[in-house]
Amino acid sequence: MLLHRIIENFETEAEEMYIEFVDENEAPSYEDLELIEMDRKTVKKVRSSASLFAELFDPDTNYFYEFPFRKRIEVEGGYRVARRRGARLDEVNVYNLVVRFKNSRIDHSEARAFMYRPVKNNQEWIVLLPDNTMDTIDSEIGIFGRSAQLFAESGKLSSEITLDHINENLKLLNLHERCAQTLMHEYGHVLHWRIFDRLGTPYEDYLAYNWFIENNYAELIDGRVPNYFRLSDEKKLWMLKECLVEDYRISLNLDSENGMFILPGKYTFSADFRAPELLKDGVKIMRRMLQPAMENESMRRKTGSVPSESEMTDIALMRSILEASMDENWVPGQQRMTIEDHHAVSDRLLMKTIKNQVAITR
């Protein structure tokens, strides 16, 4: 296996950023890592990448080689675009890994990238995984384009947004642009976990759900994702985090590209196409929620929690959202859950935390 770490540097005279790809090494085996302190040659060979492999790969790890390794031209171009838009990637370690994988702790067999916080230090990592990016673009353009066409033909498309405008945005997707969208998405996870660090020690899922309730974001997403109310409690929290970082990603596009969203929200598109004010509300609330981490550049990871958040395009879920949005009884912004329902989700997440703690202490 090969690994790249992407590092940005500046030419002081030209004041231009250039990208350096560091440590294109063969990955050590698990046995190599166990012997690392005894074999000086091995130490020298894998010193820079050993922490990543030791963190992510266990003896039971399965590797998936079906997807092509992201070439330097894609990653370098995507990194530049994401940085120009405002994602502070220089604050984190960005890696480009050659293989997707899963083990008993982590499953990234279907992910395009993930954000990870290592156990042994307070670093924050964004790891790009192999992907056939052009196929991804084709799939996404297909579902977003067909959805917009269906809404237009059925008279459901908002008068504030035209079919041509949606297609103009989708046409902006290319190799660099799609990689940039992934990097911006994952940096959004970096930001919200910096906020989560300050919700309580230790972090618990119910605290995060309460945060979404207190900021009225849970209610908003209930109105932007037509089948949100049917999701499990854990899936609801996952959906809130995904929508939040999608709103963050889209906000960077809107601010820097003359109002172009480029890639619609993966799970809110059916409402956002029909009621663009809901997207505006989402961006407004997101900015308030992430403001401490966005404006305070010195804010970093605080606790030893080890979350891993991945970016994937769940086409089956997107199609189910589209199908639910075509129900004549559903109106964008319509909420199926009361505030009491949301608090009940938080209460159940708290009870699961307590049960898990009891089970551990027995």
Side-chain angles (χ1 to χ4, degrees), residues 55-56 101 105-108 113-127 186 188-197 202-205 208 237-238 241 301-310:
E55 282 276 351
L56 301 180
F101 66 95
R105 295 182 300 111
I106 309 171
D107 184 355
H108 290 314
F114 63 94
M115 186 280 293
Y116 186 81
R117 293 170 141 200
V119 176
K120 295 181 180 180
N121 57 55
N122 271 359
Q123 293 178 354
E124 297 157 309
W125 297 346
I126 293 175
V127 182
E186 294 304 326
H189 283 305
V190 170
L191 292 176
H192 81 64
W193 273 105
R194 291 176 182 176
I195 301 291
F196 284 2
D197 283 346
Y203 161 84
E204 301 292 354
D205 283 349
L237 179 57
W238 172 85
K241 291 186 288 185
R301 175 183 177 183
K302 183 179 179 182
T303 70
S305 57
V306 191
S308 177
E309 303 280 1
S310 61

Side-chain angles (χ1 to χ4, degrees), residues 292-329:
M294 291 170 65
E295 294 187 355
N296 182 1
E297 295 188 18
S298 64
M299 179 183 283
R300 293 291 190 275
R301 175 183 177 183
K302 183 179 179 182
T303 70
S305 57
V306 191
S308 177
E309 303 280 1
S310 61
E311 196 241 1
M312 56 184 289
T313 301
D314 191 334
I315 296 295
L317 180 55
M318 291 169 67
R319 285 174 176 156
S320 72
I321 289 171
L322 173 60
E323 183 179 352
S325 72
M326 295 303 291
D327 187 335
E328 293 299 329
N329 295 320

Side-chain angles (χ1 to χ4, degrees), residues 112-339:
R112 292 186 172 83
F114 63 94
M115 186 280 293
Y116 186 81
R117 293 170 141 200
V119 176
K120 295 181 180 180
N121 57 55
N122 271 359
Q123 293 178 354
E124 297 157 309
W125 297 346
I126 293 175
V127 182
L128 292 169
L129 294 172
D131 189 36
N132 191 325
T133 305
M134 297 312 297
D135 283 355
T136 295
I137 292 171
D138 289 343
S139 296
E140 291 174 337
I141 288 178
I143 190 165
F144 291 133
R146 285 194 299 272
S147 301
Q149 185 72 42
L150 281 172
F151 293 147
E153 291 174 352
S154 59
K156 297 179 185 294
L157 195 63
S158 169
S159 59
E160 297 179 31
I161 186 170
T162 66
L163 184 59
D164 285 343
H165 180 66
I166 293 172
N167 288 330
E168 286 171 7
N169 275 270
L170 296 176
K171 286 177 182 177
L172 295 175
L173 289 170
N174 57 35
L175 198 67
H176 295 168
E177 187 63 66
R178 188 59 188 83
C179 183
Q181 300 301 314
T182 291
L183 289 168
M184 292 187 290
H185 177 105
E186 294 304 326
Y187 185 72
H189 283 305
V190 170
L191 292 176
H192 81 64
W193 273 105
R194 291 176 182 176
I195 301 291
F196 284 2
D197 283 346
R198 288 146 179 90
L199 296 181
T201 305
Y203 161 84
E204 301 292 354
D205 283 349
Y206 77 92
L207 294 172
Y209 203 93
N210 283 341
W211 181 64
F212 284 112
I213 295 173
E214 291 163 4
N215 286 281
N216 304 117
Y217 197 76
E219 294 174 275
L220 178 68
I221 295 305
D222 182 29
R224 289 171 74 192
V225 180
N227 50 0
Y228 176 83
F229 73 105
R230 292 196 181 100
L231 301 177
S232 68
D233 294 341
E234 290 79 9
K235 195 75 170 180
K236 283 186 176 72
L237 179 57
W238 172 85
M239 179 65 76
L240 291 174
K241 291 186 288 185
E242 285 297 298
C243 291
L244 186 74
V245 301
E246 285 288 273
D247 281 340
Y248 169 75
R249 173 186 63 75
I250 291 171
S251 75
L252 296 183
N253 295 336
L254 294 172
D255 290 346
S256 61
E257 302 302 321
N258 297 316
M260 301 295 272
F261 55 78
I262 302 178
L263 180 67
K266 292 183 183 178
Y267 307 114
T268 59
F269 68 94
S270 62
D272 297 347
F273 284 173
R274 296 171 58 180
E277 66 273 11
L278 294 175
L279 171 59
K280 294 177 183 177
D281 290 343
V283 168
K284 181 179 179 180
I285 295 174
M286 175 278 300
R287 283 177 172 154
R288 183 179 73 238
M289 296 173 74
L290 295 183
Q291 182 178 12
M294 291 170 65
E295 294 187 355
N296 182 1
E297 295 188 18
S298 64
M299 179 183 283
R300 293 291 190 275
R301 175 183 177 183
K302 183 179 179 182
T303 70
S305 57
V306 191
S308 177
E309 303 280 1
S310 61
E311 196 241 1
M312 56 184 289
T313 301
D314 191 334
I315 296 295
L317 180 55
M318 291 169 67
R319 285 174 176 156
S320 72
I321 289 171
L322 173 60
E323 183 179 352
S325 72
M326 295 303 291
D327 187 335
E328 293 299 329
N329 295 320
W330 183 75
V331 178
Q334 176 186 355
Q335 296 176 15
R336 309 288 185 93
M337 297 175 63
T338 65
I339 190 65

Side-chain angles (χ1 to χ4, degrees), residues 56-70:
L56 301 180
F57 301 149
D58 294 338
D60 67 341
T61 298
N62 292 315
Y63 303 100
F64 301 87
Y65 294 92
E66 296 92 323
F67 297 92
F69 180 52
R70 294 178 191 259

